[in-house]
PDB file of all heavy atoms in Angstrom:
ATOM      1  N   GLY X  35      42.840   8.998  17.069  1.00 57.00           N
ATOM      2  CA  GLY X  35      42.318   7.669  17.192  1.00 57.00           C
ATOM      3  C   GLY X  35      41.146   7.390  16.281  1.00 57.00           C
ATOM      4  O   GLY X  35      40.771   8.218  15.415  1.00 57.00           O
ATOM      5  N   VAL X  55      32.695  -1.202  -1.200  1.00 70.00           N
ATOM      6  CA  VAL X  55      33.062  -2.065  -2.356  1.00 70.00           C
ATOM      7  C   VAL X  55      34.615  -2.441  -2.201  1.00 70.00           C
ATOM      8  O   VAL X  55      34.946  -3.562  -2.439  1.00 70.00           O
ATOM      9  CB  VAL X  55      32.871  -1.291  -3.622  1.00 70.00           C
ATOM     10  CG1 VAL X  55      33.451  -2.079  -4.827  1.00 70.00           C
ATOM     11  CG2 VAL X  55      31.387  -1.127  -3.890  1.00 70.00           C
ATOM     12  N   ASN X  62      37.522 -10.158   0.381  1.00 73.00           N
ATOM     13  CA  ASN X  62      36.880 -11.287  -0.271  1.00 73.00           C
ATOM     14  C   ASN X  62      35.559 -11.675   0.479  1.00 73.00           C
ATOM     15  O   ASN X  62      35.257 -12.849   0.822  1.00 73.00           O
ATOM     16  CB  ASN X  62      37.776 -12.525  -0.305  1.00 73.00           C
ATOM     17  CG  ASN X  62      37.282 -13.595  -1.304  1.00 73.00           C
ATOM     18  OD1 ASN X  62      36.611 -13.204  -2.265  1.00 73.00           O
ATOM     19  ND2 ASN X  62      37.623 -14.841  -1.104  1.00 73.00           N
ATOM     20  N   SER X  69      18.765  -2.378   1.295  1.00 72.00           N
ATOM     21  CA  SER X  69      17.589  -1.809   0.889  1.00 72.00           C
ATOM     22  C   SER X  69      16.721  -2.795   0.011  1.00 72.00           C
ATOM     23  O   SER X  69      15.521  -2.524  -0.158  1.00 72.00           O
ATOM     24  CB  SER X  69      17.740  -0.495   0.144  1.00 72.00           C
ATOM     25  OG  SER X  69      18.434  -0.693  -1.057  1.00 72.00           O
ATOM     26  N   TYR X 142      13.620  -2.361  11.166  1.00 77.00           N
ATOM     27  CA  TYR X 142      13.216  -3.594  11.786  1.00 77.00           C
ATOM     28  C   TYR X 142      13.065  -3.495  13.288  1.00 77.00           C
ATOM     29  O   TYR X 142      12.098  -4.015  13.872  1.00 77.00           O
ATOM     30  CB  TYR X 142      14.287  -4.639  11.436  1.00 77.00           C
ATOM     31  CG  TYR X 142      14.130  -5.114  10.007  1.00 77.00           C
ATOM     32  CD1 TYR X 142      14.994  -4.566   9.032  1.00 77.00           C
ATOM     33  CD2 TYR X 142      13.210  -6.011   9.589  1.00 77.00           C
ATOM     34  CE1 TYR X 142      14.914  -4.931   7.704  1.00 77.00           C
ATOM     35  CE2 TYR X 142      13.078  -6.334   8.270  1.00 77.00           C
ATOM     36  CZ  TYR X 142      13.916  -5.822   7.343  1.00 77.00           C
ATOM     37  OH  TYR X 142      13.738  -6.250   6.026  1.00 77.00           O
ATOM     38  N   GLY X 144      12.328  -0.738  14.736  1.00 59.00           N
ATOM     39  CA  GLY X 144      11.222   0.208  14.958  1.00 59.00           C
ATOM     40  C   GLY X 144       9.903  -0.624  15.023  1.00 59.00           C
ATOM     41  O   GLY X 144       9.053  -0.355  15.929  1.00 59.00           O
ATOM     42  N   LEU X 166      -6.982   8.827  20.356  1.00 58.00           N
ATOM     43  CA  LEU X 166      -7.927   8.044  19.583  1.00 58.00           C
ATOM     44  C   LEU X 166      -9.229   7.960  20.242  1.00 58.00           C
ATOM     45  O   LEU X 166      -9.322   7.800  21.508  1.00 58.00           O
ATOM     46  CB  LEU X 166      -7.329   6.625  19.428  1.00 58.00           C
ATOM     47  CG  LEU X 166      -8.018   5.688  18.473  1.00 58.00           C
ATOM     48  CD1 LEU X 166      -7.991   6.199  17.047  1.00 58.00           C
ATOM     49  CD2 LEU X 166      -7.394   4.233  18.546  1.00 58.00           C
ATOM     50  N   VAL X 168     -13.173   5.982  19.825  1.00 59.00           N
ATOM     51  CA  VAL X 168     -13.788   4.931  19.055  1.00 59.00           C
ATOM     52  C   VAL X 168     -15.304   4.863  19.249  1.00 59.00           C
ATOM     53  O   VAL X 168     -15.793   5.161  20.354  1.00 59.00           O
ATOM     54  CB  VAL X 168     -13.154   3.552  19.444  1.00 59.00           C
ATOM     55  CG1 VAL X 168     -13.855   2.403  18.613  1.00 59.00           C
ATOM     56  CG2 VAL X 168     -11.690   3.542  19.305  1.00 59.00           C
ATOM     57  N   PRO X 214      -4.379 -14.942  13.324  1.00 91.00           N
ATOM     58  CA  PRO X 214      -3.966 -16.006  14.252  1.00 91.00           C
ATOM     59  C   PRO X 214      -3.004 -17.005  13.647  1.00 91.00           C
ATOM     60  O   PRO X 214      -3.254 -17.502  12.545  1.00 91.00           O
ATOM     61  CB  PRO X 214      -5.330 -16.640  14.570  1.00 91.00           C
ATOM     62  CG  PRO X 214      -6.314 -15.638  14.221  1.00 91.00           C
ATOM     63  CD  PRO X 214      -5.821 -14.874  13.044  1.00 91.00           C
ATOM     64  N   ASN X 218       1.350 -17.491  17.884  1.00 86.00           N
ATOM     65  CA  ASN X 218       1.203 -16.042  18.155  1.00 86.00           C
ATOM     66  C   ASN X 218       0.126 -15.476  17.351  1.00 86.00           C
ATOM     67  O   ASN X 218      -0.531 -16.112  16.563  1.00 86.00           O
ATOM     68  CB  ASN X 218       2.542 -15.381  17.897  1.00 86.00           C
ATOM     69  CG  ASN X 218       2.923 -15.314  16.507  1.00 86.00           C
ATOM     70  OD1 ASN X 218       2.451 -16.150  15.706  1.00 86.00           O
ATOM     71  ND2 ASN X 218       3.795 -14.399  16.131  1.00 86.00           N
ATOM     72  N   LYS X 273      -9.798  14.055  12.970  1.00 74.00           N
ATOM     73  CA  LYS X 273     -10.176  13.487  11.721  1.00 74.00           C
ATOM     74  C   LYS X 273     -10.849  12.154  11.909  1.00 74.00           C
ATOM     75  O   LYS X 273     -10.416  11.286  12.743  1.00 74.00           O
ATOM     76  CB  LYS X 273      -8.805  13.217  10.951  1.00 74.00           C
ATOM     77  CG  LYS X 273      -8.934  12.619   9.525  1.00 74.00           C
ATOM     78  CD  LYS X 273      -7.599  12.511   8.942  1.00 74.00           C
ATOM     79  CE  LYS X 273      -7.616  11.756   7.625  1.00 74.00           C
ATOM     80  NZ  LYS X 273      -6.252  11.630   7.038  1.00 74.00           N
ATOM     81  N   PRO X 283     -13.523 -17.259  10.090  1.00 90.00           N
ATOM     82  CA  PRO X 283     -13.001 -18.398  10.903  1.00 90.00           C
ATOM     83  C   PRO X 283     -11.805 -19.111  10.195  1.00 90.00           C
ATOM     84  O   PRO X 283     -11.929 -19.378   9.007  1.00 90.00           O
ATOM     85  CB  PRO X 283     -14.186 -19.298  11.011  1.00 90.00           C
ATOM     86  CG  PRO X 283     -15.398 -18.443  10.734  1.00 90.00           C
ATOM     87  CD  PRO X 283     -14.910 -17.550   9.668  1.00 90.00           C
ATOM     88  N   MET X 327     -24.892   5.520 -18.656  1.00 94.00           N
ATOM     89  CA  MET X 327     -24.163   4.611 -17.762  1.00 94.00           C
ATOM     90  C   MET X 327     -22.667   4.877 -17.956  1.00 94.00           C
ATOM     91  O   MET X 327     -22.158   4.888 -19.021  1.00 94.00           O
ATOM     92  CB  MET X 327     -24.537   3.168 -17.981  1.00 94.00           C
ATOM     93  CG  MET X 327     -23.880   2.236 -17.012  1.00 94.00           C
ATOM     94  SD  MET X 327     -24.594   0.640 -16.951  1.00 94.00           S
ATOM     95  CE  MET X 327     -24.172   0.017 -18.533  1.00 94.00           C
ATOM     96  N   GLN X 348     -18.670  15.039  -5.516  1.00 86.00           N
ATOM     97  CA  GLN X 348     -18.621  16.315  -6.311  1.00 86.00           C
ATOM     98  C   GLN X 348     -19.943  16.715  -6.850  1.00 86.00           C
ATOM     99  O   GLN X 348     -20.256  17.859  -7.027  1.00 86.00           O
ATOM    100  CB  GLN X 348     -17.595  16.041  -7.460  1.00 86.00           C
ATOM    101  CG  GLN X 348     -17.267  17.145  -8.317  1.00 86.00           C
ATOM    102  CD  GLN X 348     -16.230  16.849  -9.362  1.00 86.00           C
ATOM    103  OE1 GLN X 348     -15.236  16.142  -9.106  1.00 86.00           O
ATOM    104  NE2 GLN X 348     -16.443  17.287 -10.631  1.00 86.00           N
ATOM    105  N   GLY X 369     -26.021  13.452   3.006  1.00 85.00           N
ATOM    106  CA  GLY X 369     -26.786  13.889   1.896  1.00 85.00           C
ATOM    107  C   GLY X 369     -27.093  12.975   0.831  1.00 85.00           C
ATOM    108  O   GLY X 369     -27.716  13.274  -0.205  1.00 85.00           O
ATOM    109  N   THR X 371     -28.503   8.933  -0.077  1.00 89.00           N
ATOM    110  CA  THR X 371     -29.209   7.789   0.387  1.00 89.00           C
ATOM    111  C   THR X 371     -28.386   6.525   0.042  1.00 89.00           C
ATOM    112  O   THR X 371     -28.112   6.215  -1.139  1.00 89.00           O
ATOM    113  CB  THR X 371     -30.589   7.694  -0.265  1.00 89.00           C
ATOM    114  OG1 THR X 371     -31.283   8.934  -0.005  1.00 89.00           O
ATOM    115  CG2 THR X 371     -31.362   6.482   0.299  1.00 89.00           C
ATOM    116  N   LEU X 417     -31.252   4.610 -19.562  1.00 88.00           N
ATOM    117  CA  LEU X 417     -31.956   5.020 -20.770  1.00 88.00           C
ATOM    118  C   LEU X 417     -33.180   5.877 -20.500  1.00 88.00           C
ATOM    119  O   LEU X 417     -33.759   6.507 -21.391  1.00 88.00           O
ATOM    120  CB  LEU X 417     -32.299   3.844 -21.636  1.00 88.00           C
ATOM    121  CG  LEU X 417     -31.127   3.138 -22.262  1.00 88.00           C
ATOM    122  CD1 LEU X 417     -31.653   1.843 -22.968  1.00 88.00           C
ATOM    123  CD2 LEU X 417     -30.389   4.010 -23.270  1.00 88.00           C
ATOM    124  N   ARG X 459      -6.033   1.708 -12.390  1.00 92.00           N
ATOM    125  CA  ARG X 459      -5.027   0.981 -11.521  1.00 92.00           C
ATOM    126  C   ARG X 459      -4.432   1.982 -10.570  1.00 92.00           C
ATOM    127  O   ARG X 459      -4.470   3.184 -10.771  1.00 92.00           O
ATOM    128  CB  ARG X 459      -3.956   0.370 -12.396  1.00 92.00           C
ATOM    129  CG  ARG X 459      -4.333  -0.675 -13.391  1.00 92.00           C
ATOM    130  CD  ARG X 459      -4.816  -1.979 -12.748  1.00 92.00           C
ATOM    131  NE  ARG X 459      -5.019  -2.912 -13.770  1.00 92.00           N
ATOM    132  CZ  ARG X 459      -6.114  -3.056 -14.443  1.00 92.00           C
ATOM    133  NH1 ARG X 459      -7.113  -2.209 -14.385  1.00 92.00           N
ATOM    134  NH2 ARG X 459      -6.268  -3.963 -15.420  1.00 92.00           N
ATOM    135  N   ASN X 467      12.203  11.168  -0.746  1.00 85.00           N
ATOM    136  CA  ASN X 467      13.400  11.231   0.134  1.00 85.00           C
ATOM    137  C   ASN X 467      14.598  10.528  -0.362  1.00 85.00           C
ATOM    138  O   ASN X 467      15.745  10.856  -0.040  1.00 85.00           O
ATOM    139  CB  ASN X 467      13.036  10.712   1.470  1.00 85.00           C
ATOM    140  CG  ASN X 467      13.996  10.996   2.620  1.00 85.00           C
ATOM    141  OD1 ASN X 467      14.355  12.192   2.759  1.00 85.00           O
ATOM    142  ND2 ASN X 467      14.523   9.989   3.281  1.00 85.00           N
ATOM    143  N   LYS X 480      12.598  -2.530 -24.612  1.00 71.00           N
ATOM    144  CA  LYS X 480      12.020  -3.319 -25.776  1.00 71.00           C
ATOM    145  C   LYS X 480      10.799  -4.037 -25.336  1.00 71.00           C
ATOM    146  O   LYS X 480       9.873  -4.119 -26.070  1.00 71.00           O
ATOM    147  CB  LYS X 480      13.100  -4.288 -26.290  1.00 71.00           C
ATOM    148  CG  LYS X 480      12.670  -5.051 -27.535  1.00 71.00           C
ATOM    149  CD  LYS X 480      13.779  -5.990 -28.044  1.00 71.00           C
ATOM    150  CE  LYS X 480      13.302  -6.677 -29.282  1.00 71.00           C
ATOM    151  NZ  LYS X 480      14.372  -7.628 -29.778  1.00 71.00           N
ATOM    152  N   GLY X 495      13.541   4.696  -6.216  1.00 87.00           N
ATOM    153  CA  GLY X 495      13.860   5.007  -4.832  1.00 87.00           C
ATOM    154  C   GLY X 495      14.868   3.964  -4.406  1.00 87.00           C
ATOM    155  O   GLY X 495      14.474   2.767  -4.486  1.00 87.00           O
ATOM    156  N   LEU X 513      -5.302   6.022 -15.272  1.00 91.00           N
ATOM    157  CA  LEU X 513      -6.632   5.905 -15.928  1.00 91.00           C
ATOM    158  C   LEU X 513      -6.587   5.675 -17.391  1.00 91.00           C
ATOM    159  O   LEU X 513      -5.702   6.306 -18.105  1.00 91.00           O
ATOM    160  CB  LEU X 513      -7.410   7.182 -15.588  1.00 91.00           C
ATOM    161  CG  LEU X 513      -9.008   7.137 -15.528  1.00 91.00           C
ATOM    162  CD1 LEU X 513      -9.441   6.156 -14.423  1.00 91.00           C
ATOM    163  CD2 LEU X 513      -9.523   8.523 -15.257  1.00 91.00           C
ATOM    164  N   ARG X 523     -20.348   2.926 -31.099  1.00 94.00           N
ATOM    165  CA  ARG X 523     -21.642   2.384 -30.942  1.00 94.00           C
ATOM    166  C   ARG X 523     -21.976   1.455 -32.121  1.00 94.00           C
ATOM    167  O   ARG X 523     -22.584   0.432 -31.962  1.00 94.00           O
ATOM    168  CB  ARG X 523     -22.738   3.477 -30.878  1.00 94.00           C
ATOM    169  CG  ARG X 523     -22.641   4.268 -29.595  1.00 94.00           C
ATOM    170  CD  ARG X 523     -23.878   5.177 -29.421  1.00 94.00           C
ATOM    171  NE  ARG X 523     -23.728   5.970 -28.181  1.00 94.00           N
ATOM    172  CZ  ARG X 523     -23.216   7.134 -28.010  1.00 94.00           C
ATOM    173  NH1 ARG X 523     -22.719   7.748 -29.136  1.00 94.00           N
ATOM    174  NH2 ARG X 523     -23.124   7.698 -26.865  1.00 94.00           N
ATOM    175  N   VAL X 540      -7.692   3.442 -29.929  1.00 92.00           N
ATOM    176  CA  VAL X 540      -6.308   3.830 -29.856  1.00 92.00           C
ATOM    177  C   VAL X 540      -5.935   4.712 -31.160  1.00 92.00           C
ATOM    178  O   VAL X 540      -5.250   5.720 -31.041  1.00 92.00           O
ATOM    179  CB  VAL X 540      -5.373   2.681 -29.719  1.00 92.00           C
ATOM    180  CG1 VAL X 540      -3.935   3.096 -29.924  1.00 92.00           C
ATOM    181  CG2 VAL X 540      -5.584   2.052 -28.390  1.00 92.00           C
ATOM    182  N   ASN X 542      -7.837   6.583 -32.687  1.00 91.00           N
ATOM    183  CA  ASN X 542      -8.509   7.907 -32.578  1.00 91.00           C
ATOM    184  C   ASN X 542      -8.149   8.610 -31.301  1.00 91.00           C
ATOM    185  O   ASN X 542      -8.930   9.476 -30.832  1.00 91.00           O
ATOM    186  CB  ASN X 542      -9.943   7.678 -32.777  1.00 91.00           C
ATOM    187  CG  ASN X 542     -10.410   7.397 -34.177  1.00 91.00           C
ATOM    188  OD1 ASN X 542     -10.615   8.293 -34.909  1.00 91.00           O
ATOM    189  ND2 ASN X 542     -10.414   6.147 -34.538  1.00 91.00           N
ATOM    190  N   MET X 544      -7.185   7.452 -27.953  1.00 91.00           N
ATOM    191  CA  MET X 544      -7.280   6.918 -26.573  1.00 91.00           C
ATOM    192  C   MET X 544      -5.973   6.460 -26.115  1.00 91.00           C
ATOM    193  O   MET X 544      -5.215   5.781 -26.818  1.00 91.00           O
ATOM    194  CB  MET X 544      -8.296   5.721 -26.554  1.00 91.00           C
ATOM    195  CG  MET X 544      -8.561   5.208 -25.062  1.00 91.00           C
ATOM    196  SD  MET X 544      -9.481   3.676 -24.899  1.00 91.00           S
ATOM    197  CE  MET X 544      -8.227   2.468 -25.340  1.00 91.00           C
ATOM    198  N   LYS X 545      -5.603   6.898 -24.884  1.00 90.00           N
ATOM    199  CA  LYS X 545      -4.319   6.525 -24.276  1.00 90.00           C
ATOM    200  C   LYS X 545      -4.570   5.300 -23.358  1.00 90.00           C
ATOM    201  O   LYS X 545      -5.448   5.394 -22.497  1.00 90.00           O
ATOM    202  CB  LYS X 545      -3.676   7.643 -23.528  1.00 90.00           C
ATOM    203  CG  LYS X 545      -3.454   8.887 -24.326  1.00 90.00           C
ATOM    204  CD  LYS X 545      -2.438   8.619 -25.479  1.00 90.00           C
ATOM    205  CE  LYS X 545      -2.207   9.853 -26.272  1.00 90.00           C
ATOM    206  NZ  LYS X 545      -1.282   9.641 -27.448  1.00 90.00           N
ATOM    207  N   GLU X 549       0.368   3.252 -21.600  1.00 88.00           N
ATOM    208  CA  GLU X 549       0.877   4.485 -22.149  1.00 88.00           C
ATOM    209  C   GLU X 549       0.800   5.583 -21.032  1.00 88.00           C
ATOM    210  O   GLU X 549       1.799   6.310 -20.770  1.00 88.00           O
ATOM    211  CB  GLU X 549       0.060   4.980 -23.269  1.00 88.00           C
ATOM    212  CG  GLU X 549       0.311   4.231 -24.568  1.00 88.00           C
ATOM    213  CD  GLU X 549      -0.487   4.708 -25.729  1.00 88.00           C
ATOM    214  OE1 GLU X 549      -1.685   4.483 -25.700  1.00 88.00           O
ATOM    215  OE2 GLU X 549       0.091   5.379 -26.663  1.00 88.00           O
TER     216      GLU X 549
END
Side-chain angles (χ1 to χ4, degrees):
V55 170
N62 198 26
S69 64
Y142 288 99
L166 190 64
V168 182
N218 66 339
K273 179 179 178 182
M327 183 162 69
Q348 183 176 319
T371 303
L417 291 171
R459 299 290 188 277
N467 191 55
K480 184 177 179 181
L513 207 60
R523 291 190 180 94
V540 170
N542 285 271
M544 185 186 83
K545 301 300 181 184
E549 287 179 290

